[in-house]
Amino acid sequence: MDIKARIRRRRDHNAQPQFIQRYEALSPAAHLDEPVGRGQLLEQLLDYFDPVFDGELPPNGYVYGPIGSGKSAVLTSLLSHLKELPAETREVIHTSTRVQTPSSPTFVYVDARSATSAFGFYRSVLSSLIDQSVPEHGVGTDSLRDQVHTQVQGTPGAVICVDHIAEPRSLDESTLVDLAASLPSNVSWLAIGRASPDQTHLTTYTGAEIGVSRYRRQVLVDILMQRASMGLARQALNHDLARQVAAWADGNAHDGLAVLFSAADNAAGVGQDQLTESNINAAIESIPEPCVSLSAVLSLPANRQRVLRHLVNLSPDERESVNMATDALSALDLSASTIKRFLYEMAEAGVIRRVQAETEQQKGRPPSRVVPQFPLYVFQRLYDLRRRGQSNHP
DNA sequence: GATCCACGGGAATACACGGATG
DNA sequence: CATCCGTGTATTCCCGTGGATC
């Protein structure tokens, strides 16, 4: 490295912003306010929602597509914009004292990963319908359902969009159908999931289906460049590297962003001001196959995430068996049997994988190695950031 | 006092293997 | 040889209890 470059590096390090400027912009679990490259899906969703603008309800619907194809990104962004519409008109038209009835159906977003029970579902719907916060305890499930009824009845209705349907640990299809049936008749739902229509019986209840295909390579390149420009110092990611990541990710934005995040984190750690091919390759190496969604991991109950966070730091030989991992995690203030049950449960959900040992030992059933199936470094960093954020703003 | 659900513990079941048995 | 049995470990299943919150 020549002297100029060395000097420039020192100067940049001191005078310029950090290499990683915004972790949120890089996070595979976060969505942009304006998603990139999904104009067609946006139009299809607007077509589907179109009756709402005439004060009518759309039919039940189903949006399906593979992981990392932008379903949640587009839907959450679209809903956040749509929800602003009635609020704007309300302020202008109505007096502050009168309780106004909206002239068109309202939009509700429910994440089935966090609303995993009937109680959670009603609670999520209700808290979206009213401004006040809804208690998590002390109120019965039936009472919540009745409150949803009183909120919706006599209005033009609501479209309830239920994301991440039929994933492990989220709401399954028949539960959704049952819950929806328990709501007033002026409610439509839009389910978002990964199963194609022939793999689900959900479509027997829907009047509209929207399929989403994986991102084309060039679009994924654009997404990576966009995120890099928002989250990293200038010129940190060059186009060729973005192309490499996109080629590897094969249309899966989640995995592509996980690589970008991981590579950037690594580069920042050793003071680079640009991502290199070896950063990218190392990051790619660190992504498991198959890779479970980080936002799914980050919406697990708190103590399960805590177990995973500590699992990340265990050495491989401490993960040689479920029992050994349980012992190694005993520093957590959870009982051994709970930790063990968590590990089995999360293996069931695909968050970790159990790999049966070669049958060498004599006695008993062979143990299983514990292998994380999520991007370790990215999870670690996001988990720690989130915790710090919470303790700053309790 | 009511409510939900995370925890914790333990029972039941599955699996692997060597050795005994028919 | 095929099957069963005993032992030891792994895994799954189930449910009561208590903490946290209203």
Side-chain angles (χ1 to χ4, degrees):
Chain A
M1 184 184 294
D2 64 15
I3 294 181
K4 274 185 186 173
R6 288 170 190 267
I7 293 174
R8 192 183 321 123
R9 166 176 291 185
R10 290 302 178 100
R11 183 201 62 194
D12 289 355
H13 184 75
N14 292 334
Q16 295 222 337
Q18 297 282 314
F19 176 63
I20 296 183
Q21 299 186 8
R22 289 178 54 212
Y23 276 105
E24 267 305 286
L26 298 177
S27 167
H31 301 305
L32 300 185
D33 192 44
E34 296 284 340
V36 175
R38 274 296 182 224
Q40 192 193 349
L41 174 57
L42 204 53
E43 284 301 319
Q44 287 175 296
L45 284 171
L46 282 170
D47 285 346
Y48 167 77
F49 286 135
D50 201 52
V52 171
F53 303 117
D54 299 324
E56 311 271 310
L57 274 174
N60 296 334
Y62 182 50
V63 177
Y64 60 96
I67 177 176
S69 58
K71 304 182 297 296
S72 297
V74 172
L75 188 83
T76 52
S77 160
L78 178 58
L79 285 184
S80 74
H81 285 103
L82 285 172
K83 279 181 181 175
E84 287 170 8
L85 292 179
E88 285 167 3
T89 54
R90 182 185 313 165
E91 282 204 21
V92 180
I93 297 170
H94 296 281
T95 67
S96 57
T97 50
R98 194 167 66 110
V99 177
Q100 71 122 30
T101 37
S103 56
S104 61
T106 53
F107 298 95
V108 174
Y109 177 83
V110 175
D111 188 346
R113 283 172 179 159
S114 45
T116 56
S117 62
F119 179 84
F121 177 79
Y122 294 132
R123 181 171 181 278
S124 177
V125 171
L126 188 61
S127 62
S128 171
L129 289 173
I130 64 180
D131 285 341
Q132 327 146 23
S133 70
V134 182
E136 301 179 50
H137 298 272
V139 51
T141 305
D142 292 348
S143 156
L144 281 186
R145 188 196 55 220
D146 294 346
Q147 290 185 59
V148 172
H149 272 260
T150 57
Q151 284 299 320
V152 173
Q153 267 162 356
T155 75
V159 188
I160 301 180
C161 306
V162 189
D163 203 354
H164 305 121
I165 203 68
E167 288 182 9
R169 300 188 55 89
S170 81
L171 290 176
D172 64 24
E173 300 163 356
S174 53
T175 312
L176 170 65
V177 170
D178 291 347
L179 286 171
S182 76
L183 293 179
S185 57
N186 58 341
V187 162
S188 291
W189 48 262
L190 177 68
I192 296 90
R194 295 190 187 146
S196 63
D198 54 311
Q199 293 171 314
T200 172
H201 69 277
L202 220 42
T203 45
T204 57
Y205 303 91
T206 60
E209 288 92 41
I210 300 173
V212 187
S213 54
R214 55 186 53 204
Y215 284 107
R216 283 182 297 108
R217 177 160 320 170
Q218 184 51 48
V219 176
L220 194 40
V221 171
D222 292 344
I223 291 173
L224 292 166
M225 294 303 291
Q226 163 89 352
R227 293 284 198 124
S229 79
M230 296 176 69
L232 298 177
R234 293 180 65 82
Q235 312 294 330
L237 174 69
N238 79 46
H239 211 265
D240 282 344
L241 285 180
R243 197 175 293 278
Q244 274 184 45
V245 175
W248 170 83
D250 192 25
N252 181 339
H254 171 273
D255 289 4
L257 289 170
V259 167
L260 178 60
F261 190 113
S262 185
D265 201 33
N266 211 278
V270 295
Q272 294 172 215
D273 57 3
Q274 236 187 3
L275 290 177
T276 66
E277 185 159 4
S278 71
N279 293 143
I280 298 294
N281 288 335
I284 286 178
E285 279 296 306
S286 74
I287 309 292
E289 165 67 33
C291 180
V292 69
S293 158
L294 273 163
S295 62
V297 177
L298 289 167
S299 53
L300 290 169
N303 274 340
R304 280 156 231 256
Q305 288 192 52
R306 220 149 56 84
V307 167
L308 290 178
R309 175 64 184 84
H310 286 259
L311 185 69
V312 166
N313 286 8
L314 297 188
S315 65
D317 47 310
E318 285 173 313
R319 294 194 268 103
E320 271 306 302
S321 75
V322 174
N323 259 320
M324 294 180 77
T326 304
D327 286 348
L329 294 167
S330 61
L332 299 161
D333 56 345
L334 292 166
S335 81
S337 87
T338 297
I339 293 174
K340 185 177 291 186
R341 183 169 55 80
F342 281 2
L343 290 175
Y344 281 117
E345 280 181 8
M346 290 190 290
E348 182 69 27
V351 175
I352 60 184
R353 188 158 49 100
R354 293 187 294 111
V355 182
Q356 198 173 54
E358 310 302 322
T359 60
E360 292 236 351
Q361 20 189 328
Q362 308 299 315
K363 295 285 185 183
R365 187 172 177 171
S368 306
R369 194 154 36 94
V370 176
V371 184
Q373 292 297 115
F374 52 91
L376 295 183
Y377 302 122
V378 188
F379 170 71
Q380 184 172 340
R381 181 51 55 101
L382 288 177
Y383 179 88
D384 293 348
L385 284 171
R386 189 175 284 203
R387 273 189 56 87
R388 210 169 54 188
Q390 278 167 1
S391 58
N392 283 348
H393 313 284

